[in-house]
Amino acid sequence: MKAARWISLPLLVVMVAACERESFNWDQLENFMLQRTIEKQPDGSVKMTFVGLVNVSPDKLFDAMSDVEHHAEFIEDVTEVKLVSVEGKKKVVDIKNRVLGRPNEARIEWTIDKAARRLSFRTVEAKYTDNSAEYRIEGSPDGTRSRVTTIYYLREKGGQPFPLYTLQTGIEESYLKAVAGVKRRALGKRAVVGP
């Protein structure tokens, strides 16, 4: 009896995941933020989940998003990126960007899994931020559109000039700018990308 329960649980998980994929409306209008949830965590951090639909094939979108050493070329508010190291699926970069208009510098470790179309980052060192995130890109049945699910963790860091709730707003704005920049990179320099 116990063995049957263990066998059925993974099957149930696969069935639920399949139903979720099938129930997503791939015909709706492009929207970089279809869903947004914000949850305070027991440790005081904030978990932000965004789901967006982008009119770009998943492979092109993933290739642009995972080109982390060139983010300064196409993501607004990223002013400089320097590749520090590469080891397997991991890349470490030093980044200069703007957080709510203020200059910020950070060392970020990216993990890039092309086969699964997943990438994630964690802050190794930074003055104002202590963030991490995971991005999952799924393709529409016809392969022309992408659903992007982002799970973002924002943590309080002593000495930062902004309260956590203000940084949440900044993260949302930066996320929308980043998706627009990644889409433009995926489609080419002459692409027109709306808000």
Side-chain angles (χ1 to χ4, degrees):
M1 186 76 164
K2 283 186 179 179
R5 275 195 290 198
W6 284 107
I7 291 169
S8 63
L9 182 60
L11 180 60
L12 180 63
V13 169
V14 169
M15 288 171 55
V16 168
C19 287
E20 183 180 293
R21 275 195 303 272
E22 290 172 14
S23 67
F24 185 76
N25 179 6
W26 289 101
D27 294 326
Q28 62 191 307
L29 294 175
E30 178 179 54
N31 185 337
F32 296 166
M33 197 174 296
L34 287 169
Q35 299 171 11
R36 172 184 156 272
T37 59
I38 298 174
E39 304 168 78
K40 188 96 169 181
Q41 302 298 294
D43 66 357
S45 67
V46 174
K47 178 183 178 184
M48 305 172 77
T49 305
F50 309 137
V51 178
L53 179 61
V54 184
N55 291 338
V56 176
S57 75
D59 290 332
K60 283 185 177 180
L61 194 69
F62 181 85
D63 287 346
M65 189 178 282
S66 62
D67 189 13
V68 297
E69 60 266 41
H70 296 108
H71 278 180
E73 296 172 19
F74 57 93
I75 295 181
E76 195 175 331
D77 291 337
V78 177
T79 56
E80 185 180 325
V81 180
K82 179 183 170 190
L83 184 64
V84 175
S85 66
V86 178
E87 187 176 325
K89 294 180 179 182
K90 295 189 182 297
K91 289 185 179 182
V92 176
V93 298
D94 285 339
I95 183 172
K96 291 182 181 179
N97 62 348
R98 287 183 297 278
V99 176
L100 294 170
R102 289 191 181 215
N104 182 55
E105 295 182 23
R107 177 160 287 185
I108 303 293
E109 180 186 75
W110 287 91
T111 302
I112 301 167
D113 186 345
K114 186 174 175 106
R117 285 195 214 108
R118 289 182 182 219
L119 64 155
S120 60
F121 77 81
R122 69 177 186 90
T123 302
V124 176
E125 183 181 331
K127 184 174 181 182
Y128 296 131
T129 57
D130 183 13
N131 310 328
S132 60
E134 178 183 327
Y135 306 89
R136 296 189 311 264
I137 299 174
E138 301 166 81
S140 60
D142 66 0
T144 62
R145 307 180 86 196
S146 299
R147 174 171 54 180
V148 181
T149 302
T150 303
I151 302 170
Y152 199 96
Y153 289 94
L154 179 60
R155 295 171 188 85
E156 191 73 64
K157 187 171 175 82
Q160 66 185 13
F162 308 108
L164 203 54
Y165 70 86
T166 304
L167 285 173
Q168 286 174 213
T169 303
I171 293 301
E172 289 182 45
E173 291 171 4
S174 294
Y175 167 80
L176 292 171
K177 290 177 187 178
V179 174
V182 169
K183 178 183 177 184
R184 188 172 292 110
R185 176 67 160 218
L187 293 177
K189 291 181 181 181
R190 296 187 177 173
V192 176
V193 178

